[in-house]
Amino acid sequence: NAGVTQTPKFRVLKTGQSMTLLCAQDMNHEYMYWYRQDPGMGLRLIHYSVGEGTTAKGEVPDGYNVSRLKKQNFLLGLESAAPSQTSVYFCASRDALGGGGPDTQYFGPGTRLTVL
Amino acid sequence: AQSVTQLGSHVSVSEGALVLLRCNYSSSVPPYLFWYVQYPNQGLQLLLKYTSAATLVKGINGFEAEFKKSETSFHLTKPSAHMSDAAEYFCAVSAASGGGADGLTFGKGTHLIIQP
C-alpha cells in the first residue's frame, strides 16, 4: 500500500514548455486534489475531482488543466509554463463524505517545479 | 467562504517547554478543522481533526487542540516540546455543510523552532 505517489519529484522547465504531473493513489478514494505551496502562502487548491471523469476549479486554477480518466489517477497539466508557476505541488486524496464528516486527506510527497 | 489565520509565521520554544500554535478561523457554516504537520521536504501529515464530536481533540505525538466557537479558535498545544517537533504546522478548515468535497482552506503556516 503506497498511499499517494507523485511523479516526478523534481522538474525544471523553461518558460513556455509544457508538462504533466501524475498523481496516483491506491486507497480507492473518490476525491482527489491538487494544491500548490508557495513560501508564506500555505497551500492553495488548484483543481479537484469528486470522481472518475469529473473535475472542478479550486482557488487558483488559471494556467492549469486536469484530467481524471481513471479513479486512481489525477493528472495536472501545464500547457505553457510561466515563472509564476514555480512552486511545490501536492496531490491529496480522501474517501467520500461519510456520516461523521469529511475524512482525512492523504497527501503525496510533492513535486518541486522550477520554471526558468 | 472560509478563511484561516495563523498568528506567528515563526514560533520558537525551548525543549521541554509548552508549545502553543494559534489558529483562528472564519466560516459561514459549522466548520471542520484540521492541523497538519510538514517535516522538511515531505508531504503533509494529519495531526488531528475536529468534526463536532468533541471540542477537545487529541492527536498524534502528544498534540491536542481545543475548538472554541465563541473565540473562533482552534489552537494547537503540546505540554512539552521535543526536538523532533521542529516542523511547519498548518491549520485548515473545511465547510461541513458542503460535504468538504471542495478541498481544504489552509492557513499560511507556522514554523516551529525548538531551542536545545
Side-chain angles (χ1 to χ4, degrees):
Chain A
N1 189 337
V4 180
T5 58
Q6 293 183 231
T7 308
K9 289 184 170 53
F10 302 93
R11 185 72 185 269
V12 179
L13 290 179
K14 294 181 179 179
T15 297
Q17 287 185 317
S18 64
M19 77 163 295
T20 300
L21 281 65
L22 171 64
C23 175
Q25 52 94 5
D26 61 3
M27 296 173 282
N28 201 36
H29 286 168
E30 288 292 333
Y31 298 163
M32 296 187 74
Y33 308 85
W34 276 107
Y35 295 89
R36 61 177 288 173
Q37 182 182 25
D38 302 293
M41 298 293 291
L43 278 77
R44 293 179 291 170
L45 183 66
I46 305 172
H47 286 281
Y48 64 99
S49 168
V50 298
E52 184 177 317
T54 70
T55 63
K57 295 180 179 180
E59 180 186 354
V60 288
D62 293 343
Y64 305 96
N65 56 75
V66 288
S67 64
R68 182 101 181 266
L69 300 180
K70 294 182 179 180
K71 185 177 183 179
Q72 64 268 33
N73 295 338
F74 194 29
L75 278 62
L76 177 70
L78 286 72
E79 290 187 349
S80 179
S84 61
Q85 294 178 303
T86 293
S87 186
V88 181
Y89 292 85
F90 287 100
C91 176
S93 72
R94 72 168 178 87
D95 206 349
L97 175 64
D103 206 343
T104 303
Q105 285 194 21
Y106 294 87
F107 284 80
T111 294
R112 188 174 296 273
L113 175 66
T114 301
V115 182
L116 302 176
Chain B
Q2 306 93 249
S3 66
V4 173
T5 301
Q6 291 183 240
L7 296 176
S9 59
H10 291 77
V11 170
S12 180
V13 302
S14 298
E15 189 174 18
L18 172 71
V19 174
L20 171 60
L21 304 183
R22 300 178 186 274
C23 172
N24 288 89
Y25 70 91
S26 171
S27 178
S28 57
V29 297
Y32 292 153
L33 294 159
F34 305 79
W35 275 100
Y36 280 86
V37 61
Q38 183 182 33
Y39 298 102
N41 299 313
Q42 294 188 25
L44 277 71
Q45 179 183 2
L46 182 72
L47 273 179
L48 49 80
K49 63 181 178 182
Y50 165 77
T51 57
S52 76
T55 57
L56 182 61
V57 182
K58 294 187 183 298
I60 62 172
N61 301 339
F63 285 94
E64 63 181 37
E66 185 173 9
F67 173 71
K68 292 187 177 181
K69 184 178 179 180
S70 60
E71 299 178 6
T72 61
S73 69
F74 190 56
H75 301 331
L76 182 71
T77 61
K78 181 174 180 177
S80 178
H82 191 272
M83 295 300 292
S84 61
D85 294 327
E88 191 85 14
Y89 291 79
F90 293 96
C91 183
V93 64
S94 174
S97 65
D102 55 346
L104 299 173
T105 298
F106 285 85
K108 295 183 177 182
T110 297
H111 185 62
L112 178 62
I113 302 163
I114 310 297
Q115 304 281 3

